[in-house]
Amino acid sequence: MTLTTDLRLAEEMRQYEAEADVIVVGLGCAGASAAMQACDEGAEVLVLERAGGGGGTSANSGGLIYLGGGTPVQQAAGFDDTPEELFKFLMAVSAPGPDELKIRLFSEGSVDHFHWLEAQGVPFKRSFFPEPSMESSTDDCLVFSGGENCAPFDLIARPAARGHKPMTEGKAGPFFMQCMLAAVARRPLRVEYDVCVETLVRDRDGRIVGVVARRAGHEVVFRARRGVVLTAGGFVMNEEMVADHVPQLGRVGTRSGTEGDDGRGIRMGAAAGGVLLRMEHAEVALAATIPNRLGRGVYVNEHGMRFINEDTYYGHIGIEALFRQGGRVWLLLDDLTFERNFMGQEPAFVGETVAEIEAEAGFAEGVLQATVEQYNLSASRGEDPLFGKRAEFLVPLESPPYALLDCTVETGPYSGLTVGGLSTGLHGEVLDIEGGPIPGLYAAGRTAALFTGRGYAGSGISLADASFFGRRAGGHAAAQSSKG
Ligand SMILES: Cc1cc2nc3c(=O)[nH]c(=O)nc-3n(C[C@H](O)[C@H](O)[C@H](O)COP(=O)(O)OP(=O)(O)OC[C@H]3O[C@@H](n4cnc5c(N)ncnc54)[C@H](O)[C@@H]3O)c2cc1C
């Protein structure tokens, strides 16, 4: 059983090591945000972090943060974004079953959140970087990171780039968390490292009033007067939980996580009665079309048929490929469109004709040829009636030799991240089976279910969610009346 941890009773606790108004479990992006907000609202805060330093997976990330609605960077780069356009995009990309209230809250609070991040010392250059989907190689900030200018979203909401990268060259996660941890250090809050929280403590009234942790092999108990915020990462590194909840992700070679993503935060919340949400979903990136020009090729499934507009965000492609095409997809390019992708992937098959490739790769006779014939016909007219690929990506594939990249999940460049976790309310309160808050218990970041629901809106949405809803959780916990 992967979902049980103990729950300890307050009356059994003989001695508390220390106490605070708010205890935050884990010091990644969500934990830092929750701790700072709780502290700013007057609470005495104690952060418990199992590693020897803060940062978590956030410090290993690309550092893109999904923000919109008219941030100063968007304005400087000439994007006319509004909270309503951001809302429309997030609702569409999160379907089915989007969390409308959270999406509304985030859309309306996104510009303020940008200013809050800057006030913490996270700088953003007022600039746009044209290559979409991932963090810029320069210190430029803004990228299209969720296929906002691609079908079908371009017709649903006015396209705007929303992936904001803190001002540093290349991957920005380490720099982002360095800024956040420095902001934590400027506040009068306490952080204890090398303390692994294992269990929550509940009182007779069902309120969470503390945590039991392990430090240097010994059990230590901490008391929380107002609340405990679980910001201990997701479960992508827990094989058993992945197999139980999102087995498709088990086939993905690269897990976007670190050691701390072992699901303990989620399991502690579940043991306290927290409901789990969207555990069967994941973010899955299939990074074969970086640079984006490679989207001029054609993705096919095992039936030799197209299944998506290849120019879109590789996260949308990865989710479609893994969850709906069984992880059995290939990318066909010709001499004109071929170049080495970001991963340096070698073609699995090369042939002078599509028929040759089709036979070598073992597709049923004629299917790949029919796909390419139909695609070339519409591409020559500048149209993609099936998936709406943009005109500049529509080049008939008619320059041999042809190359087929193996993008099956076992060999292709996939990476994945869990998005399911504890179900939370608008203030980060962990919800029980009745939909009511568990008193004293909060969660944010990947310990909670991602607010955008089933889709993964775009690169940057996890850090956006962790920081935005982390702050709300910390702030709400701080506002509770002290217990005892
Ligand atoms: C290579 C890579 C690139 C990525 N790029 C991006 C990107 O550009 N934009 C984006 O939005 N997302 C990105 N992600 C995903 C993103 O990094 C994570 O989803 C996000 O950082 C989660 O933040 P968090 O605060 O919930 O967790 P974390 O940052 O992992 O923080 C959790 C903390 O809790 C601690 N902890 C765990 N268990 C316990 C315990 N029991 N007791 C005490 N402490 C505990 C951990 O040590 C850790 O410090 C990327 C991920 C990877 C791996």
Side-chain angles (χ1 to χ4, degrees):
M1 248 325 255
T2 61
L3 271 182
T4 52
T5 63
D6 301 336
L7 185 66
R8 305 280 286 272
L9 299 175
E11 57 259 39
E12 289 169 9
M13 298 298 138
R14 277 192 225 106
Q15 194 187 339
Y16 289 99
E17 171 81 9
E19 59 179 75
D21 293 326
V22 176
I23 290 181
V24 175
V25 180
L27 187 58
C29 173
S33 306
M36 287 195 271
Q37 192 71 39
C39 181
D40 291 352
E41 301 204 4
E44 189 193 335
V45 179
L46 171 63
V47 183
L48 302 174
E49 163 59 50
R50 72 180 243 178
T57 301
S58 306
N60 282 279
S61 74
L64 273 183
I65 308 168
Y66 201 91
L67 299 164
T71 67
V73 183
Q74 289 183 307
Q75 287 175 359
F79 290 102
D80 178 18
D81 199 13
T82 64
E84 195 53 34
E85 295 303 317
L86 171 59
F87 175 78
K88 283 195 274 181
F89 172 76
L90 290 177
M91 286 294 285
V93 80
S94 306
D99 188 333
E100 187 171 344
L101 292 178
K102 280 191 183 163
I103 290 175
R104 177 67 72 192
L105 205 59
F106 177 79
S107 302
E108 285 172 1
S110 192
V111 172
D112 275 353
H113 190 55
F114 172 89
H115 289 300
W116 181 84
L117 288 166
E118 282 210 322
Q120 305 322 310
V122 181
F124 296 96
K125 191 171 173 181
R126 272 45 177 172
S127 63
F128 174 69
F129 189 76
E131 178 68 19
S133 295
M134 64 185 291
E135 67 273 9
S136 64
S137 51
T138 61
D139 67 353
D140 290 307
C141 179
L142 200 59
V143 290
F144 277 102
S145 70
E148 298 84 350
N149 54 348
C150 304
F153 307 112
D154 57 340
L155 299 179
I156 293 171
R158 189 166 55 241
R162 302 196 180 99
H164 286 65
K165 195 190 80 163
M167 194 163 65
T168 190
E169 285 192 7
K171 174 177 167 165
F175 173 70
F176 168 58
M177 282 312 293
Q178 196 183 313
C179 298
M180 292 289 274
L181 295 176
V184 166
R186 286 193 291 275
R187 286 172 166 83
L189 53 79
R190 204 146 51 95
V191 183
E192 286 209 25
Y193 296 107
D194 297 310
V195 178
C196 184
V197 175
E198 296 190 326
T199 312
L200 294 170
V201 179
R202 182 166 67 187
D203 73 7
R204 278 208 185 93
D205 303 329
R207 186 184 180 83
I208 300 303
V209 293
V211 300
V212 178
R214 194 151 291 276
R215 183 176 60 195
H218 299 287
E219 191 176 279
V220 274
V221 188
F222 298 90
R223 180 163 170 268
R225 291 184 291 259
R226 301 186 194 174
V228 172
V229 188
L230 296 172
T231 49
F235 67 96
V236 74
M237 305 311 263
N238 183 320
E239 291 301 337
E240 212 182 333
M241 282 180 79
V242 166
D244 277 358
H245 299 283
V246 56
Q248 296 93 330
L249 193 58
R251 299 168 65 197
V252 170
T254 304
R255 305 289 172 83
S256 297
T258 50
E259 203 187 348
D261 292 304
D262 65 357
R264 184 170 275 277
I266 295 172
R267 285 178 287 140
M268 282 191 275
V275 161
L276 303 182
L277 189 63
R278 298 195 267 276
M279 293 290 279
E280 71 282 23
H281 294 280
E283 180 265 352
V284 179
L286 169 49
T289 49
I290 307 174
N292 197 220
R293 289 189 290 282
L294 285 163
R296 295 183 301 169
V298 160
Y299 268 120
V300 291
N301 62 16
E302 64 183 336
H303 306 298
M305 296 169 92
R306 287 181 71 215
F307 57 90
I308 201 162
N309 46 325
E310 295 83 356
D311 58 337
T312 194
Y313 166 49
Y314 55 68
H316 300 328
I317 296 173
I319 287 175
E320 182 67 34
L322 183 65
F323 288 101
R324 285 185 275 278
Q325 307 298 333
R328 303 201 36 83
V329 307
W330 291 262
L331 180 65
L332 180 71
L333 297 150
D334 69 354
D335 197 43
L336 187 71
T337 52
F338 182 82
E339 66 184 279
R340 277 279 177 269
N341 66 19
F342 172 71
M343 306 304 289
Q345 214 182 337
E346 295 289 340
F349 301 100
V350 177
E352 284 305 310
T353 62
V354 174
E356 205 180 306
I357 295 251
E358 180 182 84
E360 276 189 55
F363 289 103
E365 194 181 341
V367 292
L368 192 61
Q369 295 178 72
T371 293
V372 174
E373 203 174 303
Q374 198 277 328
Y375 176 80
N376 284 352
L377 187 65
S378 39
S380 65
R381 296 184 189 132
E383 294 166 359
D384 177 15
L386 288 182
F387 300 105
K389 184 149 98 170
R390 286 167 292 170
E392 68 260 39
F393 286 81
L394 289 168
V395 182
L397 299 180
E398 50 195 16
S399 308
Y402 294 91
L404 194 69
L405 298 193
D406 183 347
C407 296
T408 56
V409 64
E410 285 76 20
T411 40
Y414 287 76
S415 59
L417 168 76
T418 58
V419 298
L422 294 163
S423 173
T424 54
L426 295 179
H427 302 284
E429 331 81 290
V430 174
L431 302 177
D432 65 18
I433 191 79
E434 307 290 343
I438 296 173
L441 187 60
Y442 297 83
R446 295 290 52 79
T447 305
L450 186 74
F451 81 105
T452 51
R454 291 180 169 74
Y456 191 78
S459 293
I461 203 68
S462 186
L463 291 176
D465 169 82
S467 53
F468 185 87
F469 288 100
R471 284 176 64 201
R472 291 186 66 83
H476 201 259
Q480 302 308 298
S481 52
S482 292
K483 177 87 180 162

